[in-house]
Amino acid sequence: MERVVQQTDYDALSCRISAIYKGYLPSPCYQLAKCGYMGYKEIHMDYINGLKHVSRRIHGKVTRTLQSSYPVMNYGTYLRTVSIDLELNGILSKIGKDQRVQILDLGGGSDLRMVPLLRNYPNLKFVDVDYSESTKVKSKALWETQGLREFLKLQEPQGDQLVRSDRYELISCDLNDLNQTSVKLDKVTDADVPTIIITECVLCYMTQDASQKLIEYLINHYKSGHWVSYDPIGGSSENDRFGTIMQANLRDSRNLEMPTLMIFNSKEKYANRFAPLQTSIQDMWELFNKIPQDEIKRLKSLQFLDELEELKVMQTHYVFCKSQWGNV
């Protein structure tokens, strides 16, 4: 199961590189204007070059996607990435640059959002957590990429820490094992510091029991914080077959399960997993319809999108959920 889920990270990286290559990311309207994500494309291209030295197989898998880059997928990646980036920067701006804060990116895989965030917020500490195979690949790719290695000020590995620095940690952990997770996080985080937790297509691959125990542990362990989660939902209307088709496709193509896809199959049910926290949730189609017209015009200029109804169907089955606790 671990290896199968790990492959989904390379899918996400492929989609992100495709969206960058086609010009969807970084967004001048959002990431550059509001988040200060300068050098965004260069960071990712450098990482891909570093990845080539680590695994030609993974590098080939990622770069092959560029030749079959469908607009509906690029739009989805754009929405997913920009929404999370805007939310993180909004939270960090409210906390302020003078206050210590930490981000836990659970199951973050090859994501590189720690670089612009660490650059923009000097009192931020960023902790990446993922399966051991994913962290091994990422750590080697970071070491192979001079610009990222120097920016993060990577120090020689120590114990089971493949990558470490004063402000960035990359730790291997199975989030399904709560004992292991709690012990490892205790070593690199401070429960008294405001904490932002990211789960981006992570909870959907965990069982209901394991994911609820993880949520309850973290919101009780850290005194104050925000939880930002992005996940698919199966759909709750009687004639909605999105979830059942998605599950069947994953089983047939990858022998992969999403145990809670049809349990938390609506926005309301998904938000309830964070009860009793103060929580708000939207599907991604709602967020798409809030994009300014100038930005929509820019997106349309990148690729011709003739599958608007398909985009709507897909994005109404992905949710963006925000929860908050404590005095932060």
Side-chain angles (χ1 to χ4, degrees):
M1 180 66 173
E2 175 179 333
R3 192 171 188 83
V4 178
V5 173
Q6 179 192 345
Q7 297 303 313
T8 65
D9 171 48
Y10 303 137
D11 294 336
L13 177 59
S14 300
C15 290
R16 196 157 56 251
I17 295 302
S18 171
I20 291 170
Y21 185 79
K22 293 292 184 181
Y24 290 83
L25 301 173
S27 163
C29 176
Y30 293 123
Q31 290 162 303
L32 296 180
K34 297 183 180 181
C35 303
Y37 278 17
M38 302 305 295
Y40 186 91
K41 180 177 181 179
E42 291 75 13
I43 290 167
H44 286 81
M45 294 305 110
D46 285 349
Y47 182 82
I48 289 298
N49 288 332
L51 186 62
K52 188 175 183 179
H53 295 286
V54 176
S55 171
R56 289 188 174 274
R57 178 184 62 81
I58 297 172
H59 178 269
K61 175 180 173 61
V62 171
T63 54
R64 275 195 300 273
T65 304
L66 299 178
Q67 283 144 48
S68 57
S69 177
Y70 297 109
V72 70
M73 298 302 295
N74 287 326
Y75 270 77
T77 300
Y78 163 90
L79 276 170
R80 165 182 180 169
T81 307
V82 165
S83 298
I84 295 172
D85 288 346
L86 276 176
E87 184 63 24
L88 295 177
N89 277 276
I91 295 169
L92 290 167
S93 296
K94 288 178 182 176
I95 293 173
K97 293 189 176 183
D98 295 330
Q99 184 174 341
R100 288 176 62 203
V101 60
Q102 58 196 5
I103 290 180
L104 312 184
D105 195 349
L106 306 183
S110 54
D111 198 280
L112 299 175
R113 61 168 44 97
M114 75 281 191
V115 177
L117 289 173
L118 289 169
R119 180 186 293 147
N120 293 340
Y121 299 94
N123 285 320
L124 169 66
K125 181 173 184 179
F126 200 105
V127 180
D128 263 329
V129 182
D130 213 327
Y131 285 127
S132 59
E133 286 305 312
S134 294
T135 56
K136 284 178 185 177
V137 171
K138 187 171 187 176
S139 64
K140 290 177 182 177
L142 291 174
W143 275 104
E144 288 287 343
T145 309
Q146 183 179 353
L148 292 174
R149 183 176 69 244
E150 292 176 353
F151 170 78
L152 294 171
K153 297 180 180 177
L154 299 185
Q155 302 166 15
E156 287 299 321
Q158 198 173 74
D160 62 353
Q161 287 182 276
L162 301 171
V163 163
R164 64 188 184 96
S165 72
D166 292 338
R167 298 178 59 211
Y168 176 67
E169 303 273 2
L170 174 61
I171 61 174
S172 61
C173 187
D174 182 351
L175 295 170
N176 294 287
D177 185 336
L178 189 55
N179 289 332
Q180 180 192 69
T181 301
S182 61
V183 168
K184 291 202 172 187
L185 287 179
D186 275 349
K187 291 180 180 179
V188 296
T189 63
D190 186 337
D192 294 326
V193 171
T195 303
I196 304 167
I197 298 170
I198 309 167
T199 46
E200 186 178 357
C201 281
V202 172
L203 299 179
C204 60
Y205 292 114
M206 301 176 69
T207 65
Q208 183 176 2
D209 183 59
S211 60
Q212 287 308 124
K213 285 180 178 177
L214 179 69
I215 292 169
E216 289 168 11
Y217 169 75
L218 292 173
I219 64 177
N220 285 296
H221 180 70
Y222 295 103
K223 290 186 177 180
S224 62
H226 295 259
W227 197 305
V228 178
S229 191
Y230 169 90
D231 257 333
I233 57 173
S236 56
S237 66
E238 187 177 345
N239 297 319
D240 191 339
R241 299 186 62 241
F242 183 91
T244 54
I245 292 172
M246 187 180 198
Q247 283 186 320
N249 288 340
L250 287 172
R251 287 191 194 110
D252 292 344
S253 62
R254 299 193 175 186
N255 196 28
L256 182 61
E257 296 287 341
M258 286 186 175
T260 60
L261 184 70
M262 300 306 295
I263 296 173
F264 304 112
N265 61 347
S266 69
K267 290 189 296 181
E268 295 74 23
K269 289 179 181 177
Y270 190 93
N272 281 340
R273 69 196 310 178
F274 293 96
L277 300 186
Q278 177 185 331
T279 300
S280 64
I281 189 167
Q282 295 174 288
D283 66 48
M284 301 308 290
W285 184 246
E286 292 175 283
L287 293 177
F288 175 81
N289 285 302
K290 293 179 181 178
I291 298 173
Q293 283 305 307
D294 284 351
E295 180 71 345
I296 289 289
K297 185 177 179 181
R298 182 186 77 85
L299 294 173
K300 286 182 176 179
S301 72
L302 300 174
Q303 284 179 296
F304 176 65
L305 176 68
D306 60 355
E307 315 104 334
L308 192 61
E309 189 59 33
E310 181 183 352
L311 179 66
K312 180 180 179 180
V313 170
M314 288 182 66
Q315 298 310 316
T316 53
H317 288 88
Y318 281 86
V319 292
F320 185 63
C321 185
K322 303 176 289 182
S323 298
Q324 180 179 342
W325 70 97
N327 299 315
V328 64

